[in-house]
Amino acid sequence: MKVLIVTEKPFAKIAVDGIRKEIEAAGFELALLEKYTEKAQVLEAVKDAQALIVRSDKVDKEVFDAAPELKIVVRAGAGYDNVDLEAATAHGVCVMNTPGQNANAVAELAIGLMIMAVRSFFDGKAGSELKGKKLGIHAYGNVGRNVARIAKGLGMEIYAYDAFCPKEVMEAEGVRPVATAEELYSTCNVVSLHIPSTPETKNSIDYELVERMPKNGLLVNTARKEVVNEADLIRLMEDRPDLKYVTDIMPAHHEEFVSTFPGRYFSTPKKMGAQTAEANINAGIAAARQIVAFFKEGCERFRVNK
Ligand code: 3PG
C-alpha cells in the first residue's frame, strides 16, 4: 500500500516524520513529492499510489486519470476547492479533509495581519488599536471561532454572520450574531473572511457589500482569493481612500493593488496561514490516521464527496 504526500508547499519536517510513523506502523509505505514545479511530476508520482495526502495542491481529472490505483485523497487542511470532487466520485475515490486541525494557525495569522494594518504597516506613524473596535467574523466555522477567541483577549467587540451556524452557539461564546452579511459589514470596523470558496461564494465580497463598512474599515482575507471580487475591490478602494485590505492569498491583481494603494494593502508572498509546525503536525497526522482507518476499518468520517 503506497501513501503519497504531494505538497508543492511542504510540511515541516517534524510533521512528515509523524506522518511516516503512522503510515509505517500500519504496514504501509510512505512516498514524498515535495516542492514540485511541473504537473508532469505529479502525474508520474501518482501512477502507483493508493492514497494521497495534499494541501492546496490541485487534484483534478488529469490526476485521477493518471492514478488508476487511487482509493483516497486527504486534503490536510480545511478547504477542498482544489480537489475535483466529481472526478473523484467518477473514479470511485473517497475525498476527505481534516477540519479544524490548522484553524488556530490561520486565526493567529488573521489577527497578525489586523495588527499590522491598524499599525500602519509599521511605517513609524501613529496607527490605531484593535481594543474597543468592532470585529465582524464572516462565517463562524473553526477558523472564525478561533479568531473570536483571540480577539476577545484584545478587547474587541465581536459580531459574526453565518447562515449555517445557530445563533445560540455564537452567543454562548460571547459573540453577537447578525442576521445578514450586509448587517455585518455595516456594523464592523474590521471584517475577517472565513468563508469557503464555492460557486455561491465566488466574487461574493463585492463593491456593494464592502462599501457598507464604516470609515477606516479594514478587510482581512485568510480564506480564498476567489471569494473577493477584485475588480470591485479596486474600484471601491479608489472611491474610498480610507479602506485597507490585507490578505494571505495573493490576488490576481497584486501588482495593481501594490501600486495603486500604497500603505493600504498587504499580501503575504505565499499562503502562510497554516504554515506552522503545529498546524502541519495536526493536519498531517490527522490525514495519515484517516487513511489508515479508511483502509483498516472502512472508516469514511470526514468524507466530503458523495
Ligand atoms: C486550508 O484550507 O486548510 C488552508 O487554506 C491552508 O491551506 P494550505 O495547506 O495550502 O496552507
Side-chain angles (χ1 to χ4, degrees):
M1 184 79 63
K2 180 166 152 184
V3 179
L4 175 69
I5 298 179
V6 171
T7 46
E8 185 270 324
K9 183 175 62 187
F11 291 119
K13 186 183 173 302
I14 186 172
V16 176
D17 292 344
I19 295 171
R20 187 181 302 284
K21 227 168 123 192
E22 298 287 332
I23 297 299
E24 291 181 352
F28 304 160
E29 176 202 342
L30 185 74
L32 274 173
L33 175 65
E34 293 179 321
K35 293 189 191 169
Y36 59 90
T37 50
E38 308 287 334
K39 189 170 185 191
Q41 295 169 268
V42 177
L43 299 180
E44 175 62 27
V46 298
K47 268 196 330 209
D48 57 349
Q50 279 88 36
L52 267 189
I53 297 175
V54 296
R55 297 185 63 177
S56 291
D57 308 84
K58 218 173 172 53
V59 187
D60 59 12
K61 184 174 177 303
E62 218 186 332
V63 174
F64 287 111
D65 286 343
E69 296 183 34
L70 196 58
K71 299 281 178 291
I72 179 167
V73 174
V74 181
R75 191 285 190 241
Y80 44 87
D81 46 307
N82 52 316
V83 183
D84 183 337
L85 298 187
E86 249 175 61
T89 303
H91 282 76
V93 177
C94 173
V95 181
M96 297 183 187
N97 64 349
T98 65
Q101 300 289 351
N102 59 19
N104 181 65
V106 179
E108 287 190 11
L109 188 96
I111 298 283
L113 288 173
M114 276 175 219
I115 292 176
M116 181 175 155
V118 298
R119 289 303 183 96
S120 310
F121 302 92
F122 311 128
D123 67 354
K125 299 195 192 94
S128 60
E129 299 178 22
L130 292 174
K131 186 177 177 189
K133 300 288 185 314
K134 294 184 166 88
L135 169 64
I137 299 183
H138 193 163
Y140 202 66
N142 289 309
V143 181
R145 289 173 89 150
N146 274 286
V147 170
R149 173 181 53 78
I150 302 167
K152 232 180 279 170
L154 291 168
M156 299 186 83
E157 234 179 75
I158 304 157
Y159 296 77
Y161 169 66
D162 190 319
F164 305 100
C165 178
K167 69 176 182 9
E168 292 74 23
V169 171
M170 299 179 191
E171 281 163 352
E173 294 175 6
V175 172
R176 295 158 212 217
V178 297
T180 61
E182 285 72 18
E183 191 183 338
L184 191 77
Y185 286 74
S186 303
T187 308
C188 295
N189 310 100
V190 181
V191 171
S192 193
L193 297 175
H194 302 293
I195 49 178
S197 174
T198 65
E200 293 75 38
T201 63
K202 272 191 185 143
N203 288 318
S204 64
I205 310 305
D206 58 12
Y207 192 105
E208 192 275 320
L209 193 59
V210 185
E211 190 196 16
R212 293 169 177 273
M213 291 189 77
K215 194 165 165 26
N216 297 325
L218 168 64
L219 181 65
V220 182
N221 186 2
T222 54
R224 287 292 180 273
K225 73 173 173 195
E226 292 81 5
V227 301
V228 171
N229 183 324
E230 288 185 22
D232 272 23
L233 185 59
I234 289 170
R235 199 158 50 86
L236 177 62
M237 287 176 71
E238 278 166 351
D239 293 352
R240 285 269 310 266
D242 59 300
L243 294 179
K244 287 182 186 163
Y245 180 51
V246 285
T247 179
D248 186 34
I249 318 95
M250 190 176 279
H253 297 87
H254 170 69
E255 296 305 333
E256 195 177 340
F257 276 101
V258 169
S259 58
T260 319
F261 308 116
R264 299 168 54 204
Y265 163 79
F266 172 80
S267 171
T268 52
K270 195 159 211 161
K271 188 159 59 129
M272 291 294 296
Q275 268 306 53
T276 65
E278 293 89 338
N280 287 178
I281 291 167
N282 293 342
I285 291 178
R289 288 187 179 153
Q290 286 171 218
I291 287 171
V292 172
F294 173 79
F295 285 117
K296 300 260 186 206
E297 298 150 31
C299 176
E300 296 201 353
R301 195 173 166 213
F302 304 117
R303 182 175 182 136
V304 293
N305 63 328
K306 300 280 171 250

